[in-house]
Amino acid sequence: MALLTPEDLENLSMQLEENDEMAKRITGLDIKGICSALYGTEPGSEKVAIIPITAGNGIISTFTSSLLFIVQYFGFEGFVTEHPDVTGYYEAVSEGADIIMMADDHIFTAHNLRNEKIVSNHVATGVIYADIASRFQEAKSKDILVIGLGRVGYAGACHLVNKGFNVYACDPNKEFLQKAVDELGIKPYCSDDRKKFSMVFEATPNANTISEGMIEERCLVSTPGIPCGLPPEIGQKYHVDLVMEPLAIGVASMLYSVI
Ligand SMILES: N[C@@H](CCCCNC(=O)[C@H]1CCC=N1)C(=O)O
Ligand SMILES: [Mg+2]
C-alpha cells in the first residue's frame, strides 16, 4: 500500500478547507453533511486517542499530529498518546478514550471501544469518495465510472451499487474486475468504449488514469489521489470539478462510521 509522506500532509488545513468548500459547492453538502448522510450519525462527546505505531516503516513524522488536527476539525475531542504501540494503547484506554485510531503499514483503523464498531481507512475512504462522486448535482444520469477495484475502489463500487447507480468500472487486474462483475454486478468499462461519464470515482496508486474519452464536459472527479489520476490539462479543458485530499476526508468517514 502506498504510504503517506510528510510532503503529502503539508498544508493539510488549506487542502481540507478547499475541499470542504468544493464539496459544498458541487454536492450541496460539506464533508460533515456527507458523513452524517452516509452513516446517520452526528459527533457527540466521543474522546479519540491517536496512537503512534512504530511497526514496519515506523512513525511518519506528521501523521499523528495531522490526525489530531482532523479529529478536532470535525468536532471531536482528541489526544495523541505520549508513548507508541502497546504502551500507547494502555495509556489511551487508561485516559478514557472512546475511540482508538492507529495505523501500521497495512491497516489504518478506528475502533470504538463503547459500541465495538471498527473500520479500516480503505473502506471508509472508498465509501466517502464514491459517495461524493455520486452527489454531482449536474449529473444527467445514474451512470458512474469507478477506476480501480482494489480495497478502496471495491468498497466504493459496492456502496454505489447499493445506492442504485449504474456502475461501470475498470482495473488492469482482470481478476479484480471479474470479482466486481461477479459479486457486485458492475459493468466492465474499457477506455476504447465510446461512453462518457459526468461522475468519476478514481482509486488507483497511479497518475493519469483518466483520459478525455471518459469524461463529459462538466464532470466531477472524486479521488483520494496520491497521485492525482486526472491530468491537469484535461481538468482545465473539461472544467472538471475535482475533490481530492490525502487524508482528512477519509478520516472523517472513519470517525462518523464508528460513532
Ligand atoms: N505507523 C505510522 C503511520 C503509518 C501510516 C501508513 N498508512 C498510510 O500511509 C495510509 C493511511 C492513509 C493513506 N495511506 C505512524 O503511526 O506514524
Ligand atoms: Mg482523504
Side-chain angles (χ1 to χ4, degrees):
M1 176 175 76
L3 302 185
L4 285 165
T5 67
E7 293 71 35
D8 294 323
L9 299 176
E10 281 172 8
N11 308 315
L12 194 69
S13 171
M14 185 187 70
Q15 291 190 70
L16 179 47
E17 296 279 355
E18 286 174 354
N19 278 278
D20 220 353
E21 283 154 27
M22 171 68 85
K24 179 81 175 160
R25 182 163 63 78
I26 50 180
T27 73
L29 294 171
D30 64 5
I31 301 301
K32 286 182 181 177
I34 291 169
C35 288
S36 287
L38 263 177
Y39 303 110
T41 54
E42 287 288 346
S45 57
E46 292 88 359
K47 191 173 180 183
V48 181
I50 297 157
I51 307 170
I53 300 296
T54 62
N57 281 282
I59 303 277
I60 297 174
S61 58
T62 51
F63 181 72
T64 50
S65 56
S66 296
L67 290 187
L68 181 58
F69 166 77
I70 296 163
V71 161
Q72 291 168 338
Y73 179 95
F74 286 102
F76 296 84
E77 183 189 348
F79 67 102
V80 178
T81 58
E82 189 187 328
H83 302 283
D85 307 323
V86 176
T87 308
Y89 188 90
Y90 185 82
E91 183 190 331
V93 177
S94 305
E95 293 295 316
D98 300 301
I99 296 171
I100 303 276
M101 293 194 102
M102 54 187 169
D104 63 17
D105 296 343
H106 309 287
I107 293 288
F108 170 21
T109 185
H111 178 210
N112 186 323
L113 304 180
R114 308 302 173 223
N115 62 19
E116 301 181 9
K117 288 183 184 177
I118 190 164
V119 70
S120 77
N121 177 264
H122 293 117
V123 172
T125 296
V127 166
I128 191 163
Y129 277 96
D131 197 68
I132 288 169
S134 75
R135 290 178 176 276
F136 186 44
Q137 288 180 318
E138 297 174 43
K140 295 177 181 57
S141 82
K142 304 278 272 185
D143 293 349
I144 189 163
L145 176 61
V146 175
I147 304 176
L149 288 167
R151 287 177 293 188
V152 175
Y154 188 91
C158 184
H159 173 66
L160 293 171
V161 168
N162 293 341
K163 265 190 104 172
F165 283 81
N166 305 323
V167 182
Y168 294 75
C170 56
D171 191 299
N173 182 314
K174 293 304 161 214
E175 284 170 30
F176 283 11
L177 183 59
Q178 194 55 50
K179 178 173 184 281
V181 169
D182 295 343
E183 294 179 1
L184 304 178
I186 59 102
K187 301 173 190 66
Y189 172 84
C190 49
S191 53
D192 54 20
D193 289 351
R194 304 304 302 158
K195 191 170 188 51
K196 290 175 176 279
F197 296 86
S198 64
M199 298 182 283
V200 178
F201 160 51
E202 196 269 2
T204 78
N206 309 311
N208 304 332
T209 52
I210 297 171
S211 59
E212 58 187 307
M214 295 177 178
I215 55 176
E216 300 270 13
E217 172 76 22
R218 294 292 303 117
C219 85
L220 167 55
V221 170
S222 171
T223 175
I226 310 184
C228 181
L230 177 70
E233 65 279 2
I234 292 182
Q236 278 124 35
K237 179 176 176 185
Y238 284 81
H239 310 105
V240 174
D241 286 324
L242 173 66
V243 175
M244 179 178 74
E245 181 280 328
L247 184 60
I249 292 175
V251 168
S253 180
M254 291 171 78
L255 289 166
Y256 275 71
S257 79
V258 297
I259 55 180

